Amino acid sequence: MPYVNIRIAGSLSREQKQKIAAEITDTLERVAGKPASYTYIAFDELPEENWAIAGQLLDED
Amino acid sequence: MPYVNIRIAGSLSREQKQKIAAEITDTLERVAGKPASYTYIAFDELPEENWAIAGQLLDED
Amino acid sequence: MPYVNIRIAGSLSREQKQKIAAEITDTLERVAGKPASYTYIAFDELPEENWAIAGQLLDED
Amino acid sequence: MPYVNIRIAGSLSREQKQKIAAEITDTLERVAGKPASYTYIAFDELPEENWAIAGQLLDED
Amino acid sequence: MPYVNIRIAGSLSREQKQKIAAEITDTLERVAGKPASYTYIAFDELPEENWAIAGQLLDED
Amino acid sequence: MPYVNIRIAGSLSREQKQKIAAEITDTLERVAGKPASYTYIAFDELPEENWAIAGQLLDED
């Protein structure tokens, strides 16, 4: 541990995922003392049709 | 918040997702006083091969 | 299935949970044809200190 | 219940999923007295690009 | 990875958790070739009032 | 969205949670263009008895 799950609608580039993973792992090590080698980060990229805010799917216009 | 995650085996049509999202958002506002604009709903549609009940994958016959 | 996970900051009364569970189960049966007996609903009530929006914990004033 | 979510990077064959589901369902029945018919198991197979350990995406070389 | 999340209503004894964790880790190593040292297992024990099946909270009589 | 779930064994101080939430929200805004006001972060602090690595509960000695 820790296990971090990042869920977004839409997609991220590989470069964005790499940078986000590196920064969050660093945050958890620096702030909470969690060794980097124990930090798992899993990204879930959902279709916009599969995410709703305020009762509206995000692919609506 | 709230964050609601709906996980099913198989798929839903866009119309079903829209209706489910609208009704759940309404339920949470009416019953629990959660403002609609704060409610996130995320749908995960899993292949039937990825869901088991009673130790059997759902794509079995 | 379906499996529905409802995550909120703060708490709900037993009556609210019962009503929410009944309504969501009904929604999934009526809209998506999911038999009520297969629908699991799990509530997670998090301390406000454990939920952040816009980078601020919800117990902040 | 129980609801078990197995998340991996990469993929599993159908035969692996079937065997894992059968064994875990058996474990929960034998060790914890949970009737097999109530046990749901959901597999999430993530692209290696979507999983990081130690701040590195798993598809890196 | 893998990351396994086991969610139940009610509680498990420490001995049950230990045995379940050992067996699932063994299953994933033997069946899917996942090294034991990479397998994380997280147990969530929910109050029965926080779990519904068929629209009824599990603490109902 | 995004929705970020941070799961650890043991606990974090309020100050650690606040700092982690602020940094991750900033990372997602700066790297991925996600407006801070849409980012939800939920922390789950599990008892060490409820987390296993390599088939051993973390409270073992």
Side-chain angles (χ1 to χ4, degrees):
Chain A
M1 57 101 201
Y3 170 80
V4 179
N5 184 207
I6 301 174
R7 314 202 90 208
I8 61 153
S11 58
L12 297 169
S13 71
R14 194 188 174 288
E15 287 66 29
Q16 290 174 315
K17 291 177 210 171
Q18 174 55 53
K19 198 157 172 43
I20 291 166
E23 291 198 11
I24 291 180
T25 302
D26 174 67
T27 290
L28 291 172
E29 185 160 42
R30 195 166 21 78
V31 178
K34 304 296 182 187
S37 61
Y38 281 98
T39 296
Y40 287 6
I41 300 183
F43 293 91
D44 292 317
E45 299 167 287
L46 280 72
E48 299 205 333
E49 183 184 299
N50 283 24
W51 199 296
I53 300 181
Q56 299 288 317
L57 303 181
L58 291 188
D59 67 340
E60 287 177 3
D61 33 42
Chain B
M1 56 101 199
Y3 170 79
V4 179
N5 185 206
I6 302 174
R7 314 201 90 209
I8 62 152
S11 58
L12 297 169
S13 71
R14 196 189 172 289
E15 287 67 27
Q16 288 174 316
K17 291 177 209 170
Q18 175 54 54
K19 198 158 173 43
I20 292 167
E23 291 198 11
I24 291 180
T25 302
D26 173 69
T27 290
L28 291 172
E29 185 160 44
R30 193 166 23 78
V31 178
K34 304 296 181 187
S37 62
Y38 281 98
T39 295
Y40 286 7
I41 299 183
F43 292 92
D44 292 317
E45 299 167 288
L46 281 72
E48 299 205 333
E49 183 185 299
N50 283 25
W51 199 296
I53 300 181
Q56 299 288 316
L57 304 181
L58 291 188
D59 68 341
E60 287 178 3
D61 34 39
Chain C
M1 55 102 199
Y3 170 79
V4 179
N5 184 207
I6 301 173
R7 313 201 91 208
I8 61 152
S11 59
L12 297 169
S13 70
R14 196 187 173 288
E15 286 66 28
Q16 288 174 316
K17 292 178 209 171
Q18 174 55 53
K19 197 158 172 44
I20 292 167
E23 291 198 12
I24 291 180
T25 303
D26 174 68
T27 290
L28 290 172
E29 185 160 43
R30 194 165 22 78
V31 178
K34 304 296 182 188
S37 61
Y38 282 98
T39 295
Y40 287 7
I41 299 182
F43 292 92
D44 293 317
E45 298 167 289
L46 281 72
E48 299 205 334
E49 182 185 299
N50 283 24
W51 199 295
I53 300 182
Q56 299 288 318
L57 304 182
L58 292 188
D59 67 341
E60 288 177 3
D61 32 44
Chain D
M1 57 101 200
Y3 170 79
V4 179
N5 184 207
I6 300 173
R7 314 202 90 208
I8 61 152
S11 58
L12 297 169
S13 70
R14 195 189 174 290
E15 287 66 28
Q16 289 174 315
K17 292 177 207 170
Q18 175 54 53
K19 196 156 174 46
I20 291 166
E23 291 198 12
I24 291 180
T25 303
D26 173 68
T27 290
L28 290 172
E29 185 160 43
R30 194 165 23 78
V31 178
K34 304 296 182 186
S37 61
Y38 281 98
T39 296
Y40 287 6
I41 299 183
F43 293 91
D44 292 318
E45 299 167 288
L46 281 73
E48 299 205 334
E49 183 185 298
N50 283 24
W51 198 296
I53 300 182
Q56 299 289 317
L57 304 181
L58 292 189
D59 68 340
E60 287 176 4
D61 34 43
Chain E
M1 57 104 195
Y3 170 78
V4 179
N5 185 207
I6 301 174
R7 313 201 91 209
I8 61 152
S11 58
L12 296 169
S13 70
R14 196 189 172 288
E15 287 66 27
Q16 288 174 315
K17 291 178 209 171
Q18 175 54 54
K19 196 157 173 45
I20 291 167
E23 291 198 11
I24 291 180
T25 302
D26 173 68
T27 289
L28 291 172
E29 185 160 44
R30 195 166 21 79
V31 178
K34 305 295 182 187
S37 61
Y38 282 98
T39 296
Y40 287 7
I41 299 182
F43 292 92
D44 293 318
E45 299 167 287
L46 281 71
E48 299 206 333
E49 182 184 299
N50 282 25
W51 199 296
I53 300 182
Q56 299 289 317
L57 304 182
L58 291 189
D59 67 341
E60 286 177 4
D61 33 41
Chain F
M1 57 103 198
Y3 170 79
V4 180
N5 184 206
I6 301 174
R7 314 202 90 207
I8 60 152
S11 58
L12 297 168
S13 71
R14 196 188 172 288
E15 287 67 27
Q16 289 174 316
K17 291 177 208 171
Q18 174 54 53
K19 197 157 173 44
I20 292 167
E23 291 199 10
I24 291 180
T25 302
D26 173 68
T27 290
L28 291 172
E29 184 160 43
R30 194 166 22 79
V31 178
K34 303 297 181 187
S37 61
Y38 282 98
T39 295
Y40 287 6
I41 299 183
F43 292 91
D44 293 317
E45 299 167 288
L46 281 71
E48 299 205 333
E49 183 184 299
N50 283 24
W51 198 296
I53 299 181
Q56 299 288 317
L57 303 182
L58 292 188
D59 67 342
E60 287 177 3
D61 32 42

